[in-house]
Amino acid sequence: MTRISLELIPRTRSGLRAELAEVQERFPSVDTVNIPDLMRFSTRSWEGCAFARPQFRAIPHIRAIDLNPREPLPMAGALVEHGIDEVLIVTGDAPSDMSHRVYNVDAEQAIRRFARELPHIRVYAGLDPYRQSFARERDYMERKLEAGAVGFFTQPFFDMRLMEAYADLVPDGAEMWWGVTNVTTEGSMTYWASRNAAVYPKHFDLSLEWNRRLARDALQFARERGQHVYFQPIRTDVQEYLGGIL
């Protein structure tokens, strides 16, 4: 059965609670939220996910480079306490604030550690269609599965044809979360192209209707395959973006 998640940013705790209440009221088909771990905000991803429980299933993003290999996993207690049994592990970007300590730990190492220390947790890894060749990303996916991941969250796609191409590369049995976000300003378009090397189709445009059509197509794509989808609303009213689609 297809699950639907919204990616929510924990800017403030009160703001996050308000967003969760709005999603619960307006979008009954959304059964999951996933929350990034962003160093510029004080609320860690697993703390934000605790606010979502038990109304939603919740998937915190865990940055591998934050995990001190000589200390216990800092989120382990919170995951158990709040019944959070899924995480997304990403390597993580180096912090701009050098007072934040990071470690030489990559996603594969972190996945293995979770599989060893928290075997009841289902671990997802990242799939990035823009960072390297098809073959290299396929091989990277296979290594993450061997490390203990059960599936993948993708970076947002802007082209259904590229999504279909990656669907053919995903190893059999991997659980997939296909990602979509809205890009409705030149600044946002430039950000995704420069920061993440995102690829836009020729027919791409910045209208909300184009972005809504992509969201609708991605949801249908996931449902046809018995896979999942997550939406990442960026600086837009969620009702305007996803109303009538979810």
Side-chain angles (χ1 to χ4, degrees), residues 3-241:
R3 292 168 59 187
I4 300 172
S5 180
L6 285 186
E7 182 167 310
L8 301 180
I9 306 300
R11 293 180 175 85
T12 65
R13 298 189 177 200
S14 60
L16 179 59
R17 288 191 179 99
E19 284 187 294
L20 288 165
E22 179 184 16
V23 172
Q24 186 177 16
E25 177 183 356
R26 295 188 176 186
F27 299 104
S29 63
V30 174
D31 57 16
T32 305
V33 296
N34 60 286
I35 298 183
D37 200 34
L38 302 173
M39 295 300 98
R40 63 183 182 276
F41 301 125
S42 61
T43 302
R44 303 304 299 267
S45 60
W46 52 91
E47 295 170 338
C49 283
F51 298 148
R53 299 284 298 149
Q55 289 79 10
F56 299 93
R57 296 178 71 174
I59 304 176
H61 300 199
I62 306 296
R63 290 159 37 97
I65 62 173
D66 291 336
L67 302 179
N68 186 335
R70 293 174 295 279
E71 293 184 359
L73 291 167
M75 70 292 299
L79 298 180
V80 172
E81 178 183 356
H82 298 286
I84 298 169
D85 59 3
E86 299 173 290
V87 301
L88 166 60
I89 290 181
V90 298
T91 296
D93 297 325
S96 56
D97 179 5
M98 297 311 295
S99 66
H100 178 76
R101 179 79 182 275
V102 295
Y103 304 90
N104 186 27
V105 178
D106 63 22
E108 289 178 67
Q109 292 169 318
I111 291 167
R112 288 192 181 90
R113 183 174 180 188
F114 265 77
R116 182 176 64 252
E117 298 182 18
L118 298 172
H120 67 287
I121 299 287
R122 292 171 55 80
V123 176
Y124 300 104
L127 186 164
D128 189 337
Y130 312 120
R131 64 182 155 199
Q132 56 189 345
S133 70
F134 283 95
R136 287 177 181 268
E137 191 64 18
R138 178 203 59 208
D139 292 347
Y140 197 20
M141 284 191 285
E142 291 178 348
R143 293 199 304 273
K144 289 175 178 177
L145 291 173
E146 290 171 0
V150 300
F152 302 93
F153 270 69
T154 75
Q155 280 275 30
F157 281 86
F158 302 99
D159 190 333
M160 293 303 302
R161 295 168 301 176
L162 185 60
M163 190 182 290
E164 290 170 359
Y166 266 93
D168 289 337
L169 292 180
V170 173
D172 292 340
E175 192 170 337
M176 290 302 302
W177 289 85
W178 300 99
V180 180
T181 189
N182 59 292
V183 171
T184 55
T185 67
E186 291 287 349
S188 183
M189 185 176 181
T190 299
Y191 170 85
W192 282 101
S194 59
R195 179 69 180 270
N196 296 298
V199 176
Y200 300 98
K202 284 185 178 180
H203 61 280
F204 174 83
D205 73 57
L206 296 172
S207 68
L208 185 60
E209 184 51 42
W210 193 96
N211 283 269
R212 283 174 52 82
R213 187 163 56 249
L214 177 64
R216 189 179 299 114
D217 290 346
L219 178 58
Q220 182 63 26
F221 178 91
R223 282 175 168 162
E224 288 173 354
R225 289 160 175 78
Q227 297 170 339
H228 314 308
V229 64
Y230 80 92
F231 297 100
Q232 185 185 71
I234 301 294
R235 301 187 184 282
T236 190
D237 182 89
V238 179
Q239 181 66 30
E240 289 184 11
Y241 176 33

